[in-house]
Amino acid sequence: MLFRSAIRDGGYEPRDAHAASAGQDPLWRDAWPVALGLALSLPLVAPMISALWGAHWMLPPLWQFLLATPVQFVLGARFYKAGWHALKAGSGNMDLLVALGTTSGWALSVWLWASAPPNHPGGHGPDLYFEGSAVVITLVLLGKWLEARAKHSTLQAIQALQALRPNIARVLTADGEQELPIAEVLPGDVLRVLPGERIPADGDIVSGESSLDESMLTGEPLPVHKTPGQRVRGGTLNGEGALQVRVTAVGATSLLAQIIRLVEDAQAPKAPIQRLVDRIAAVFVPVVLGIALFTGLAWFIQGATFEAALIHSVAVMVIACPCALGLATPAAIMAGTGVAAQQGILIRDAQALELAHRAGIVAFDKTGTLTQGQPRLLSLHAWCTQTESELLALAASLQQHSEHPLAHAVLQAAKQASPALALRPVDHPQALSGRGIQGQIDGQTYLLGSLNWLSEHLEAAQQPALSAALADGHTVSLLAQQDAAGRVRALGLLAFGDQPKPGVQQALAALRQRGLQLAMISGDNRAAALAMGQRLGLVEEEIHAEVLPAQKTEWVRRLQNEAHARGHTVIFVGDGINDAPALAAADVGMAMANPEGGGTDVAMGSAGITLMRGDVALVAQAIELSSRTVAKIRQNLFWAFAYNVAGIPLAALGYLSPVVAGAAMALSSVSVMTNALMLRARRR
């Protein structure tokens, strides 16, 4: 970024190589070989088309040669290169079949033309097959372009995300407000964001309040209210309020950039099924070449001319081109990842998408995954003369300047009280490390702190409330008053705990209805874990508490031993840094995104799937999408193999010419991609 600034200061304008080419649509940029191939091939097939209406004519052999040769060796150069690399590697692929088949047809036509007598019967040249080689290459190029188009359509979600990046940011400096290119914004800069603008970069709100549209990240349609101190993400849309945001991450380190990379990376790896297909294709190609050679020899031995025998052999090689076989898995994977991105499910690893549908056990982290991850004031018990409202007002007043998470919970509860509680001034506040806080309110000294500090001042009548709170797994603080003589009297109890996320019970029940076994693996104490698990509908055997991060991995492996014995896989869902080892160890790791940041980035890097909303229901959606994607893969593989099994015998017996075989091959590829893209039609 400083490099860009230095270049601009030198009087030059820096340009991003990627950005410079961004205006060129690669989809249409790569269409010209197809267009040229069609333009050169149509005159070659025109006589065949006109013959359907009784017009019989033929281009001169020279014109056929001039039209077909550029298609064969210029447009078809990619097949020679790929086929040569396959031969050097000791394997075969579709490109090798295309190169051999079309070259045979072109070479045969040249030989027939060169060896034909000057006065050919009929007054025209010999029957040549230039149109066969040209049309096959053109159709294969068309199939590859359609594959690129299918991929392009599944990447629309990525392009939409990229378009959300603002180009200009308003940076507040000592000299005032300055508009800078987003590439020159640095962490620590303070940005001014006006209502209706998109947040230029990840950061924390310094001042101002507003409602942000975060649907591009989470899929949640409702705006989220943001106040000072809260995290905002680049690309989200600011609502009605002006904000000042201190930048924490820009460029490749921003959440938006990470999301884009996750979706892009999901397109690259091959799933296990695709790797199996590649191994099958490596065996399939030499077998086909053997069948083609046998076909030519058999026809020649049976009395056919060399020309006819070669044509049948070429037809076998063309019809056997495993285009559809090669497209079956990647087309479905790309369509599946595109649909998932639109639902707020980001697939980083294609293998995860393939394995999720085989899940037998789904294990969850507790805090931040099944629960909201922030302590809440759940209950108060006022003793002596104070009411619960008075107790809350005193506690909030004492903690109004504290940054402790429990203090935030108390202040939030006071703010949400009806009516909102007014905070009182505190004299001589003193924070006591490891214990709590004390201060004077209206001349009285109050103490607020941990159970270990103040429990000795409890009376017998106050013990049942304490025991009940501890049995529920709550964290307990005590509020007490100290008189002038130093005697301490307990005034009340504050019970804190986490809360389940909205709808999590229903989401877990839905997973159980799918026949899945559930587990909760938590580092919390057993009482708290059991209490929360029971609220979520889990039984004691499904709750594993006091588990350290390294031990979570061990628990995942135990579950894997159980699931793998039944042919199933294990999904682990977590949200934080402590969950990263378990996410990586599971057959399928699902990272639950945390809008406030935390360990989400680390979790996302360890998981194959990221759920961009903190909604457990997305787990079932991801499993369902995996099931649909794998079903499409299997359908595509079936039809691809069925096509080859049916087409090769027909070509060998002489029922398919190279031109017809090429057309059928291209049609099968288009059908495979169309079937894969039908995943989008069922988008929820």
Side-chain angles (χ1 to χ4, degrees):
M1 297 173 188
L2 292 175
F3 182 66
R4 289 174 177 263
S5 301
I7 294 176
R8 187 171 281 109
D9 293 339
Y12 299 91
E13 185 65 25
R15 292 185 64 188
D16 191 325
H18 298 286
S21 61
Q24 304 176 4
D25 190 343
L27 183 63
W28 297 107
R29 183 186 63 209
D30 296 338
W32 74 265
V34 179
L36 181 59
L38 290 172
L40 296 174
S41 300
L42 284 177
L44 293 171
V45 299
M48 301 172 57
I49 298 174
S50 63
L52 299 176
W53 286 272
H56 299 281
W57 61 283
M58 183 179 295
L59 284 175
L62 178 60
W63 281 102
Q64 295 184 50
F65 174 81
L66 293 176
L67 290 170
T69 300
V71 177
Q72 183 68 47
F73 297 104
V74 179
L75 302 183
R78 58 183 297 174
F79 301 112
Y80 289 102
K81 294 178 181 178
W84 174 245
H85 289 310
L87 283 176
K88 289 195 300 182
S91 63
N93 56 20
M94 180 200 68
D95 295 324
L96 180 60
L97 282 179
V98 173
L100 291 176
T102 58
T103 302
S104 299
W106 181 89
L108 173 63
S109 299
V110 172
W111 180 78
L112 292 173
W113 175 32
S115 61
N119 297 320
H120 195 274
H124 55 75
D127 292 330
L128 306 178
Y129 300 93
F130 285 118
E131 76 281 355
S133 62
V135 169
V136 167
I137 288 178
T138 300
L139 290 176
V140 175
L141 289 175
L142 176 62
K144 291 183 177 294
W145 181 77
L146 291 175
E147 177 189 2
R149 184 177 180 183
K151 183 175 182 178
H152 183 273
S153 65
T154 62
L155 294 179
Q156 288 180 347
I158 297 176
Q159 295 173 343
L161 290 174
Q162 292 172 333
L164 296 176
R165 294 168 168 164
N167 296 321
I168 300 296
R170 295 183 178 85
V171 182
L172 299 180
T173 66
D175 300 326
E177 183 178 305
Q178 183 180 3
E179 291 188 356
L180 293 177
I182 189 63
E184 297 181 10
V185 175
L186 300 174
D189 288 345
V190 177
L191 310 180
R192 184 168 177 249
V193 185
L194 300 178
E197 294 182 340
R198 292 198 178 274
I199 306 296
D202 292 3
D204 298 324
I205 297 178
V206 177
S207 65
E209 294 187 22
S210 185
S211 296
L212 271 64
D213 181 357
E214 297 183 335
S215 58
M216 45 79 66
L217 294 178
T218 67
E220 184 62 46
L222 297 177
V224 180
H225 188 69
K226 296 287 186 177
T227 57
Q230 290 187 299
R231 178 72 50 86
V232 295
R233 297 296 190 177
T236 56
L237 183 63
N238 186 26
E240 72 284 352
L243 300 174
Q244 290 186 12
V245 177
R246 188 178 306 280
V247 177
T248 58
V250 295
T253 62
S254 67
L255 180 62
L256 180 59
Q258 293 178 35
I259 292 172
I260 294 172
R261 286 199 302 273
L262 285 174
V263 182
E264 290 175 338
D265 292 345
Q267 309 284 343
K270 293 184 177 180
I273 287 182
Q274 181 59 29
R275 292 194 290 268
L276 175 62
V277 171
D278 292 341
R279 291 195 295 269
I280 294 174
V283 177
F284 179 75
V285 172
V287 171
V288 168
L289 293 177
I291 294 174
L293 179 61
F294 177 80
T295 298
L297 291 174
W299 276 93
F300 189 74
I301 293 173
Q302 292 294 324
T305 64
F306 176 77
E307 171 190 339
L310 184 58
I311 290 300
H312 296 312
S313 179
V314 171
V316 169
M317 288 190 289
V318 174
I319 198 69
C321 290
C323 295
L325 190 62
L327 293 176
T329 299
I333 291 292
M334 288 184 293
T337 56
V339 173
Q342 294 170 349
Q343 296 180 354
I345 304 170
L346 302 181
I347 312 295
R348 186 177 67 89
D349 184 3
Q351 180 175 344
L353 182 62
E354 181 184 331
L355 294 177
H357 79 286
R358 293 172 47 196
I361 302 175
V362 183
F364 295 89
D365 169 57
K366 179 179 78 70
T367 305
T369 302
L370 297 176
T371 69
Q372 295 179 1
Q374 297 291 333
R376 299 287 187 271
L377 181 61
L378 302 181
S379 63
L380 299 96
H381 295 276
W383 302 311
C384 304
T385 60
Q386 281 79 12
T387 65
E388 291 184 355
S389 294
E390 292 172 341
L391 184 72
L392 180 58
L394 288 171
S397 298
L398 285 170
Q399 296 185 309
Q400 58 187 300
H401 301 297
S402 175
E403 296 296 327
H404 194 279
L406 297 185
H408 285 293
V410 172
L411 292 170
Q412 187 69 17
K415 184 178 180 180
Q416 295 177 347
S418 183
L421 301 178
L423 302 184
R424 307 177 193 176
V426 180
D427 298 323
H428 310 295
Q430 184 180 3
L432 305 174
S433 179
R435 293 183 289 175
I437 190 171
Q438 70 178 31
Q440 293 183 354
I441 300 176
D442 298 330
Q444 300 291 326
T445 301
Y446 294 94
L447 313 175
L448 176 63
S450 66
L451 189 62
N452 292 334
W453 181 31
L454 299 173
S455 61
E456 63 183 88
H457 304 292
L458 290 176
E459 300 176 0
Q462 299 169 339
Q463 288 291 340
L466 173 62
S467 299
L470 294 176
D472 290 336
H474 296 160
T475 299
V476 174
S477 293
L478 296 177
L479 178 65
Q481 183 180 19
Q482 185 178 41
D483 60 20
R487 293 186 295 269
V488 178
R489 180 181 62 159
L491 301 180
L493 174 150
L494 293 83
F496 301 89
D498 208 350
Q499 289 286 80
K501 289 183 176 179
V504 67
Q505 293 95 334
Q506 295 81 353
L508 294 178
L511 290 172
R512 208 184 290 277
Q513 289 178 357
R514 295 179 66 96
L516 296 171
Q517 179 182 336
L518 304 180
M520 186 179 77
I521 305 175
S522 174
D524 281 357
N525 66 78
R526 184 162 184 80
L530 285 174
M532 181 57 67
Q534 292 170 359
R535 292 181 64 183
L536 299 175
L538 302 176
V539 299
E540 186 173 355
E541 292 75 16
E542 298 172 329
I543 303 169
H544 312 291
E546 300 177 356
V547 180
L548 299 175
Q551 296 173 330
K552 287 187 178 182
T553 304
E554 297 176 6
W555 271 104
V556 167
R557 289 174 177 156
R558 291 184 195 177
L559 297 175
Q560 284 176 320
N561 292 333
E562 179 183 345
H564 292 174
R566 305 194 304 266
H568 295 157
T569 59
V570 172
I571 296 175
F572 181 81
V573 188
D575 75 309
I577 295 176
N578 63 326
D579 299 322
L583 288 167
D587 298 302
V588 179
M590 294 189 182
M592 185 80 71
N594 179 1
E596 298 301 326
T600 298
D601 295 344
V602 177
M604 288 170 59
S606 304
I609 297 175
T610 297
L611 311 176
M612 287 308 300
R613 299 195 304 274
D615 186 357
V616 180
L618 289 180
V619 176
Q621 293 185 29
I623 295 174
E624 173 64 20
L625 182 60
S626 170
S627 178
R628 288 167 48 200
T629 302
V630 172
K632 289 297 181 185
I633 293 175
R634 291 171 176 170
Q635 293 170 13
N636 287 346
L637 290 177
F638 171 79
W639 288 112
F641 278 114
Y643 159 80
N644 289 123
V645 171
I648 291 176
L650 292 175
L653 294 174
Y655 293 108
L656 295 177
S657 69
V659 174
V660 176
M665 178 190 63
L667 181 61
S668 69
S669 300
V670 173
S671 65
V672 163
M673 290 183 291
T674 301
N675 185 46
L677 292 176
M678 288 179 65
L679 280 168
R680 303 179 65 192
R682 293 183 56 189
R683 185 181 63 191
R684 295 182 179 180

